[in-house]
Amino acid sequence: MNFFVPVNAQGKKIEGIVVFEPNVFEDDRGFFMESWSEKRVNDILGYNVHFVQDNHSLSCLGVLRGLHYQINPHAQGKLVRCISGEIYDVAIDIRKTSQTFLQWVGVHLTAQNKKQLWIPHGFAHGFLTITQRAEVAYKVTDYWAKESERSILWSDPEINIIWPKINGNLLISNKDKRAKLINEMNGNDLF
């Protein structure tokens, strides 16, 4: 398993975000890969990650989900991969004392590249489907808890995410359309 830390638009690495690239063994029969190894990931991260749940979503072209996160005591780390199609996956640093506070990274996750994005707690997360359909599978380190759930508006001008252009309209849930701007959040809504 290889890994790298993606850089943001300013060329800075955001501490905590890691992209994992599995070793894929392909031949005329298909392929084999190790999609998760607790030991390898923990060795790379330098701390133990324990997942409690796997989630799986299907989205059509133009579906934008996010920007979601959970605050303590139910903060979640996520390991995200695209198993069909392609998404543009985004993580935003919402750790108030971080040198990269409100900076973001975007990574193309595809069924072909098999990359996985590790997003620790302290980050908001969202993605845009850029193929006709995409299936996303991700592991989380804590269960969903309504009282801890928070959302930041996907188009917040202070964060200024540059989403890829798609052919068609964005499809956004009513809940995500009503998400708050970062300057509307109180201090307890961030890390």
Side-chain angles (χ1 to χ4, degrees):
M1 177 179 294
N2 302 311
F3 69 97
F4 66 92
V5 177
V7 295
N8 63 17
Q10 295 76 35
K12 291 184 184 174
K13 293 181 178 181
I14 298 181
E15 186 179 329
I17 300 292
V18 176
V19 176
F20 293 102
E21 294 180 307
N23 295 318
V24 180
F25 303 94
E26 280 188 85
D27 61 26
D28 57 351
R29 299 169 299 153
F31 73 88
F32 171 84
M33 69 178 219
E34 197 174 81
S35 62
W36 164 246
S37 168
E38 183 175 283
K39 180 181 179 346
R40 285 189 181 161
V41 169
N42 289 347
D43 287 349
I44 291 166
L45 295 177
Y47 56 90
N48 290 336
V49 173
H50 175 70
F51 294 115
V52 298
Q53 182 173 311
D54 282 2
N55 297 325
H56 188 148
S57 70
L58 170 67
S59 301
C60 59
L61 176 67
V63 168
L64 195 150
R65 298 183 187 268
L67 305 165
H68 304 146
Y69 64 100
Q70 289 189 176
I71 59 171
N72 290 322
H74 299 287
Q76 290 180 324
K78 298 177 182 178
L79 182 64
V80 183
R81 68 183 177 129
C82 183
I83 58 175
S84 171
E86 181 174 357
I87 63 169
Y88 186 68
D89 207 47
V90 172
I92 303 96
D93 188 347
I94 55 173
R95 301 169 296 176
K96 294 178 284 193
T97 60
S98 170
Q99 292 182 345
T100 53
F101 179 62
L102 299 186
Q103 294 183 28
W104 60 274
V105 294
V107 178
H108 287 270
L109 301 179
T110 74
Q112 287 73 36
N113 72 23
K114 298 173 181 46
K115 293 178 183 175
Q116 298 180 63
L117 183 63
W118 166 244
I119 305 165
H121 63 74
F123 290 81
H125 170 249
F127 68 85
L128 173 63
T129 304
I130 57 178
T131 51
Q132 285 303 113
R133 293 168 48 110
E135 290 187 61
V136 175
Y138 60 100
K139 298 176 171 304
V140 294
T141 59
D142 204 340
Y143 299 103
W144 177 75
K146 184 167 182 54
E147 67 278 6
S148 293
E149 184 180 47
R150 301 290 185 275
S151 294
I152 299 169
L153 189 65
W154 66 275
S155 60
D156 188 319
E158 190 170 345
I159 299 170
N160 193 31
I161 297 169
I162 302 167
W163 296 97
K165 302 268 188 256
I166 58 158
N167 292 326
N169 296 322
L170 294 180
L171 302 170
I172 303 168
S173 72
N174 288 331
K175 176 180 145 185
D176 287 348
K177 287 178 184 176
R178 292 189 305 267
K180 292 181 178 182
L181 295 169
I182 198 73
N183 66 14
E184 297 172 328
M185 300 274 188
N186 69 51
N188 295 330
D189 287 332
L190 302 173
F191 287 83

